[in-house]
Amino acid sequence: MMGDMASEESRTITSQQIRTPEAPATTGPATRAWMTRLLMVGIVLTALNLRPAITSLGALLEEVRDGLGMSGSVAGLLTSVPPLCFAVFGVTAPRLARRFGPAAVVCVGMAAIGAGLLVRPYTHSTAGFLAASALTLMGIAVSNVLMPVIVKRWFPDRVGSMTGLYSMALALGTAAAAAVTVPMTEALGGSWQSGLAIWSILAVVAILPWIPFVRQRGAGPAEEAAAPQQHARVQPPALRITRSRTAWALAVYFGLQATGAYITMGWMAQIFRDAGVPASTAGLLLAVTMVMGVPLAFVIPRLATRLPHQGPIVVALGVCGLVGYGGLYLAPAAGSWAWAVLLGISNCSFPLALTMVGMRARTSAGVAQLSGFAQSTGYLLSIPGPLLVGVLYQHSGGWSLPIALMTALLIPQMLVGVLAGRNRTVEDEAAA
């Protein structure tokens, strides 16, 4: 990985040396270097904030349910809110970015996350808790969509290394919230309200690096230099993306893997706790599942790009999930650490799905269309899963039926993943 980052950095220096005489010297080298470092800090802090609102709630879901008098069905609805907000609010992010600038939208997104996290534990009602959670998730949704845009705009020659840094920070934030929320809650006197609200501090800190960039609505420096050449090119016609079987397979695959991920984040700690695992240990087990994404997010995409067909990786990840869910069903406490690792590996279908999006289109315009379709459709498809798990848990009084559902969903996930992994492009299937 370090070798790849070094080669990317050398290409960046070379490209900057070539472009410098042509680009307008609006700021000095020292100022540009300082702003670049500040932007990198902002990207890392933003990524750290994109999942704690979800995994911290999963670690304290039992306390929240008891404190608000929440039924299992309503708790399932609560775990379905993240993908719903990502699908609804994420669509608005590009339009907001064109009007106000991506940095300004991310800055406001961090403020929304901080406000929602601070308010929601003290609303004293289920409706208020859901509304404040929606505010938090709105901030996450727009920031989640715009982070790749910011990386591409300001770091066009370091997309790989910056995306790796961003992905690692996101996984670390996810795991940290799962691991330390319960111990922090105990240190704060055992109040679940304080244990959830304390994560608002991280969001407030993340606002600060974006403030100098909020007035920048235009393109980044590299895009400004390349603008004349880009305008001179003939834009390819838009694809009829819904005509592509590969696009649909990717959308369903994305939706099913998102379903598994949000069920895991919302319910896995509770499954272990109901099996007799202490609350702090259950949080650590969820953290282990989440942190598996840190190393595998680098390994899986590189392996996938070297294979003509990504089906074998899809099947391998699915089998890990089947074994993990089987273990949760048969011996949830006895083999808890093994099941957490296996389900963490299975949840790495997310970076694989993003990699296949990039491989299933020949042009950047095709990738943009395919990514928008697959993610928006996928998040919509993932909404019922966590809710259904909550309903089954409440009415069956145990985890046998919910775990059976999770296991069953992996079968179609593997099937559509194999279809999506075939060596073909959406341009061949969906040309207008």
Side-chain angles (χ1 to χ4, degrees):
M1 178 183 128
M2 296 303 296
D4 293 343
M5 291 178 67
S7 63
E8 280 190 306
E9 297 293 340
S10 65
R11 289 197 299 271
T12 302
I13 295 172
T14 304
S15 63
Q16 287 176 342
Q17 289 172 342
I18 293 173
R19 282 198 304 264
T20 299
E22 301 175 5
T26 55
T27 58
T31 302
R32 287 197 298 269
W34 178 81
M35 295 291 278
T36 298
R37 294 189 187 99
L38 185 63
L39 188 61
M40 292 175 68
V41 171
I43 289 171
V44 170
L45 286 175
T46 297
L48 287 171
N49 277 280
L50 295 182
R51 293 299 181 270
I54 302 170
T55 51
S56 63
L57 176 60
L60 294 174
L61 187 58
E62 181 175 319
E63 288 78 5
V64 174
R65 288 178 57 197
D66 292 341
L68 297 177
M70 191 183 298
S71 68
S73 298
V74 175
L77 174 63
L78 186 62
T79 56
S80 295
V81 169
L84 174 62
C85 289
F86 291 169
V88 173
F89 296 120
V91 175
T92 67
R95 184 180 302 173
L96 291 172
R98 285 194 298 269
R99 181 170 182 180
F100 301 106
V105 177
V106 171
C107 186
V108 173
M110 293 297 103
I113 293 172
L117 288 176
L118 181 62
V119 169
R120 74 173 181 175
Y122 303 104
T123 56
H124 305 297
S125 70
T126 299
F129 194 93
L130 287 169
S133 295
L135 175 63
T136 298
L137 293 165
M138 177 181 66
I140 295 174
V142 296
S143 302
N144 205 29
V145 170
L146 292 179
M147 291 308 294
V149 175
I150 289 172
V151 168
K152 182 67 174 177
R153 176 170 291 189
W154 274 279
F155 302 94
D157 300 305
R158 286 181 282 174
V159 171
S161 59
M162 289 302 300
T163 301
L165 181 66
Y166 157 74
S167 301
M168 182 176 66
L170 191 151
L172 286 174
T174 305
V180 306
T181 295
V182 172
M184 279 199 310
T185 301
E186 294 173 351
L188 293 170
S191 169
W192 64 266
Q193 289 94 340
S194 300
L196 292 181
I198 197 169
W199 289 103
S200 64
I201 297 174
L202 183 61
V204 171
V205 172
I207 296 172
L208 303 178
W210 294 106
I211 294 175
F213 300 95
V214 295
R215 295 181 180 273
Q216 297 186 9
R217 302 185 184 184
E223 290 182 319
E224 289 174 352
Q229 292 87 345
Q230 289 175 346
H231 286 301
R233 296 173 187 160
V234 177
Q235 295 296 320
L239 300 173
R240 296 180 182 176
I241 201 72
T242 55
R243 294 173 55 181
S244 169
R245 294 181 180 179
T246 299
W248 278 107
L250 262 175
V252 176
Y253 183 71
F254 193 95
L256 290 174
Q257 66 81 27
T259 299
Y262 285 107
I263 289 174
T264 298
M265 284 188 280
W267 289 107
M268 198 175 82
Q270 188 65 51
I271 293 174
F272 284 127
R273 291 180 67 172
D274 287 349
V277 177
S280 57
T281 304
L284 285 174
L285 289 166
L286 179 58
V288 167
T289 300
M290 298 297 105
V291 84
M292 292 301 298
V294 177
L296 292 179
F298 292 107
V299 174
I300 290 176
R302 293 178 184 181
L303 177 61
T305 55
R306 294 187 178 127
L307 296 176
H309 194 307
Q310 289 72 50
I313 306 178
V314 169
V315 173
L317 295 178
V319 168
C320 287
L322 290 174
V323 176
Y325 285 135
L328 279 182
Y329 185 90
L330 296 173
S336 56
W337 293 99
W339 318 142
V341 169
L342 287 168
L343 290 172
I345 296 172
S346 180
N347 279 346
C348 288
S349 300
F350 176 70
L352 176 61
L354 293 182
T355 303
M356 288 196 291
V357 166
M359 297 178 68
R360 297 286 86 88
R362 287 195 298 266
T363 65
S364 59
V367 170
Q369 277 191 265
L370 178 59
S371 178
F373 174 75
Q375 293 200 45
S376 60
T377 305
Y379 278 130
L380 287 173
L381 291 174
S382 70
I383 292 170
L387 174 60
L388 185 56
V389 166
V391 172
L392 290 175
Y393 173 59
Q394 179 180 357
H395 290 282
S396 67
W399 287 106
S400 296
L401 285 179
I403 292 174
L405 172 66
M406 301 176 210
T407 306
L409 289 176
L410 280 173
I411 305 302
Q413 178 178 320
M414 287 190 285
L415 292 175
V416 295
V418 169
L419 293 176
R422 294 175 299 174
N423 188 15
R424 57 189 63 192
T425 64
V426 293
E427 285 88 353
D428 295 332
E429 299 176 341

